[in-house]
Amino acid sequence: MSDELLDARPTDLLELDELWSFVKARCHKVWTWIALCRRTRQVVAYVCGQRNDKTCTDLRCRIPTAYFNLATYSDYWSSYAEVFDPTTHRSVGKHTGLTNHVERFNATLRNRLGHFTRKTLSFSKKKENHEAVLHMFLLKYNQDMRIKWVTR
């Protein structure tokens, strides 16, 4: 997925957020954690799992090295404060507008993929299939964002 990413700049910012969906049944929640570059609107890393420190650590480890030391913004979920470097990470409220882009991306994801719609009959029976659908969407999304930047 990192092949489609535009080069990181030192002034870039990452916005972090998580959203839930489910696999097999509504009682089996799967959380998708996302790191989005504010300037390019590309998803630089994602991971599916539980809503805990381990999954947040997995997200941190998946961020490409070019983006690894950039400033990050997230909501007040405690895992972000535990995992991300406190010198570069800030937890902020929605009223600040510093996570607007990733929140907007989550809305786009819920709008375009039936698997992420809250009240749906469209869901995966296996977590692997759920992640495959998400991965294919993100490849196309990042490619589209790259084309927008290259043609500017």
Side-chain angles (χ1 to χ4, degrees):
M1 190 164 112
S2 61
D3 296 341
E4 291 296 325
L5 295 177
L6 293 164
D7 294 333
R9 295 181 184 167
T11 56
D12 281 344
L13 304 168
L14 295 182
E15 296 180 18
L16 312 171
D17 199 22
E18 70 285 340
L19 73 153
W20 64 268
S21 54
F22 56 91
V23 173
K24 199 170 188 177
R26 286 195 185 274
C27 61
H28 299 125
K29 278 190 178 178
V30 175
W31 290 87
T32 302
W33 297 65
I34 295 170
L36 181 109
C37 177
R38 183 181 294 171
R39 176 180 59 90
T40 65
R41 308 295 196 272
Q42 289 184 307
V43 175
V44 298
Y46 75 95
V47 65
C48 294
Q50 297 177 359
R51 195 176 193 204
N52 57 25
D53 291 354
K54 182 194 175 303
T55 310
C56 188
T57 303
D58 291 346
L59 175 69
R60 177 80 171 133
C61 292
R62 289 186 182 194
I63 294 175
T65 54
Y67 292 87
F68 199 76
N69 293 317
L70 297 177
T72 56
Y73 293 93
S74 72
D75 56 22
Y76 287 104
W77 185 248
S78 62
S79 295
Y80 293 117
E82 294 291 325
V83 172
F84 284 83
D85 183 3
T87 60
T88 59
H89 179 73
R90 270 184 59 198
S91 295
V92 296
K94 292 186 188 220
H95 66 280
T96 63
L98 295 172
T99 59
N100 279 359
H101 300 98
V102 72
E103 295 289 351
R104 176 62 231 162
F105 175 78
N106 288 347
T108 299
L109 196 59
R110 288 196 187 281
N111 195 10
R112 293 189 188 171
L113 286 179
H115 293 229
F116 288 88
T117 304
R118 290 190 174 135
K119 293 185 178 185
T120 183
L121 295 175
S122 175
F123 58 90
S124 297
K125 293 181 180 178
K126 295 182 181 179
K127 186 179 175 197
E128 296 80 19
N129 295 345
H130 182 77
E131 290 182 33
V133 167
L134 176 63
H135 185 76
M136 294 303 293
F137 175 80
L138 291 177
L139 286 174
K140 176 77 171 111
Y141 178 84
N142 278 351
Q143 183 182 23
D144 291 348
M145 291 297 114
R146 182 181 178 88
I147 290 169
K148 282 183 181 179
W149 273 95
V150 171
T151 58
R152 281 187 175 181

